[in-house]
Amino acid sequence: MENTLNQNSKRIESIDLLRGLVMIIMALDHTRDFFHAGAMTADPLDLNTTTPILYFTRWITHYCAPIFVFLSGVSAYLQSGHKSKKELSLFLIKRGLWLIVMEILIFNLLFSFDIFYTLLGLQVLWAIGISMVILGLLIWLPFWSILTIGFIIVLGHNALDFYEKANPGPYNVFYNLLHHFGFHTLWGKHQLMILYPFLPWTGLMILGYCLGKILRNPDEQYRRKFLTIAGLSAIGLFIVMRFINIYGDPVTWSAQKTSFYSFLSFINTNKYPPSLFYMCMTIGPALLFIAWWGNMKNGLTKVISVYGRVAFFYYILHFFFIHTFSTIANYIKGSEGFSLGITYLVWIAIVALLYPFCKWYDKYKTIHKEKWWLSYL
């Protein structure tokens, strides 16, 4: 990991590489949503109807949101190196509120192209935004108190599954915002869709913030050892607790028609909201990646890292491109959608098309570091 911290840019390059990788994978899921036949009517994780390749096309994208939220917490801590606690607190609160506004006004428009905002969704930008606001308030506490709060949320939030099982709802808007997917009528035909309840995402961001302290440690061997132990521990906790099948996910796994499909049931964990198993299954490998593969340097990793350095810009732009192209394709071909093979080709084309835009913006940010508003994008 000796090359992971670039002393000139003060960026941890392994973070950019990992973030860029998950941003590319994320585009696959969104391309599938808009291009694949049946994407909006069938669940690719339904073991009764899916195929292995369709299952893993969806399953691999599980790594995107939790890693992105986790790394947002890491980045928040790393900024403490050049910001006072007051400056960092205010920045996190303001940027969090800005992301919530962007979710409501910009992302919802890109998702639906509905200028009347008939359906307002609270998705990943909302989850990151509200988590940043909370983290901005928490950083005034002692470090060990912040770490304890993060662990209590991540390890303990699935205790609410027992309440939800005994009381299947519907729930009020405040509980849905906290821990359960739900719809609510706002006015007339306008509805609110809460897809990302914030509590577990906030816990994950808090733990990411605390990991930033480890990544700032100058001892390379200590960093690698810590990340390896933490990553293997998360994976081990997932495997052992998932076998026990009592706590850690609202949906237990079960034996299926073949051992392979039983394995698929085993790794099919809950995302809305992210369960303890979901977070362990995704963050564990991410920690190992940072420890052992994050310092890879070649032409491909340089390209991937560009996406990681302009993640918010990429996120907004890729959704605009995907939805625009799918609208054009549906107008020409019809609304039945495309095969999975065509969907993969479209995904690769869109990611490639985004590169020159991301490269330009990355260069612009590097040249114009004095512009304060760039830190909010």
Side-chain angles (χ1 to χ4, degrees):
M1 291 179 64
E2 62 274 12
N3 294 325
T4 299
L5 180 59
N6 185 315
Q7 294 298 334
N8 294 323
S9 65
K10 301 300 182 183
R11 295 187 70 94
I12 295 184
E13 295 172 353
S14 59
I15 300 302
D16 290 332
L17 178 58
L18 179 57
R19 185 186 284 119
L21 185 61
V22 300
M23 297 303 285
I24 292 172
I25 296 172
M26 176 192 65
L28 172 60
D29 193 39
H30 296 154
T31 304
R32 181 190 60 80
D33 282 338
F34 282 94
F35 280 88
H36 184 230
M40 293 296 183
T41 58
D43 180 4
L45 300 177
D46 185 344
L47 297 181
N48 295 313
T49 58
T50 192
T51 62
I53 188 170
L54 178 58
Y55 179 96
F56 281 108
T57 298
R58 170 56 175 151
W59 182 87
I60 192 63
T61 64
H62 277 343
Y63 283 84
C64 302
I67 291 176
F68 192 71
V69 172
F70 188 72
L71 294 183
S72 295
V74 171
S75 297
Y77 184 89
L78 297 180
Q79 291 193 54
S80 65
H82 58 271
K83 283 184 171 71
S84 68
K85 186 165 289 189
K86 180 179 179 180
E87 290 172 334
L88 180 59
S89 177
L90 288 174
F91 171 75
L92 291 173
I93 293 171
K94 289 187 292 185
R95 188 162 193 261
L97 293 174
W98 167 247
L99 288 175
I100 294 172
V101 171
M102 290 294 290
E103 174 81 90
I104 295 172
L105 297 182
I106 303 300
F107 184 75
N108 275 287
L109 182 61
L110 294 177
F111 184 83
S112 65
F113 283 175
D114 177 9
I115 62 173
F116 299 104
Y117 294 92
T118 305
L119 178 64
L120 287 177
L122 297 181
Q123 301 190 55
V124 69
L125 291 183
W126 139 263
I128 295 173
I130 190 63
S131 297
M132 279 188 175
V133 171
I134 295 170
L135 181 60
L137 299 173
L138 288 178
I139 64 171
W140 293 96
L141 298 175
F143 179 83
W144 288 107
S145 297
I146 300 173
L147 180 64
T148 300
I149 291 171
F151 270 120
I152 289 174
I153 294 174
V154 169
L155 295 175
H157 81 91
N158 280 113
L160 292 172
D161 295 342
F162 299 110
Y163 163 77
E164 292 167 11
K165 187 176 181 179
N167 303 274
Y171 307 105
N172 62 50
V173 65
F174 300 106
Y175 188 84
N176 284 137
L177 289 170
L178 183 74
H179 196 258
H180 197 278
F181 167 86
F183 283 89
H184 293 274
T185 299
L186 295 174
W187 66 90
K189 295 181 178 179
H190 294 266
Q191 283 193 309
L192 175 68
M193 178 184 71
I194 302 169
L195 192 61
Y196 279 68
F198 74 86
L199 180 62
W201 296 111
T202 300
L204 190 59
M205 182 178 287
I206 292 171
L207 292 187
Y209 174 85
C210 294
L211 181 71
K213 186 179 181 70
I214 302 298
L215 296 180
R216 274 298 185 193
N217 192 300
D219 187 338
E220 174 205 345
Q221 294 301 321
Y222 172 78
R223 294 197 307 268
R224 175 167 286 174
K225 181 179 179 180
F226 182 94
L227 290 167
T228 301
I229 293 174
L232 291 175
S233 297
I235 296 170
L237 178 64
F238 162 69
I239 294 173
V240 172
M241 292 294 291
R242 190 62 164 158
F243 264 116
I244 294 173
N245 222 16
I246 296 176
Y247 178 84
D249 198 280
V251 180
T252 57
W253 71 279
S254 59
Q256 301 293 315
K257 55 187 177 183
T258 67
S259 57
F260 177 69
Y261 272 76
S262 295
F263 168 72
L264 297 186
S265 176
F266 187 86
I267 63 173
N268 184 18
T269 54
N270 197 68
K271 180 180 180 180
Y272 306 109
S275 67
L276 170 61
F277 293 161
Y278 178 90
M279 290 188 277
C280 288
M281 180 185 73
T282 54
I283 299 302
L287 296 175
L288 296 181
F289 181 93
I290 297 172
W292 294 99
W293 302 288
N295 63 339
M296 292 185 295
K297 284 186 176 293
N298 54 51
L300 180 60
T301 61
K302 289 180 180 179
V303 169
I304 294 173
S305 295
V306 169
Y307 297 114
R309 288 195 293 270
V310 295
F312 180 77
F313 177 82
Y314 171 96
Y315 183 79
I316 295 298
L317 199 61
H318 98 285
F319 231 103
F320 173 75
F321 278 15
I322 291 172
H323 198 173
T324 298
F325 293 153
S326 71
T327 301
I328 295 171
N330 287 335
Y331 178 78
I332 296 173
K333 182 179 183 293
S335 60
E336 65 269 20
F338 299 84
S339 68
L340 197 59
I342 295 297
T343 300
Y344 268 85
L345 290 176
V346 174
W347 163 57
I348 294 170
I350 287 176
V351 171
L353 180 62
L354 285 167
Y355 181 74
F357 294 95
C358 293
K359 182 72 173 178
W360 166 81
Y361 185 61
D362 182 38
K363 183 178 181 180
Y364 183 85
K365 286 182 66 177
T366 302
I367 294 174
H368 299 282
K369 291 182 178 179
E370 76 284 356
K371 295 183 183 296
W372 63 268
W373 52 269
L374 288 173
S375 62
Y376 289 84
L377 301 176

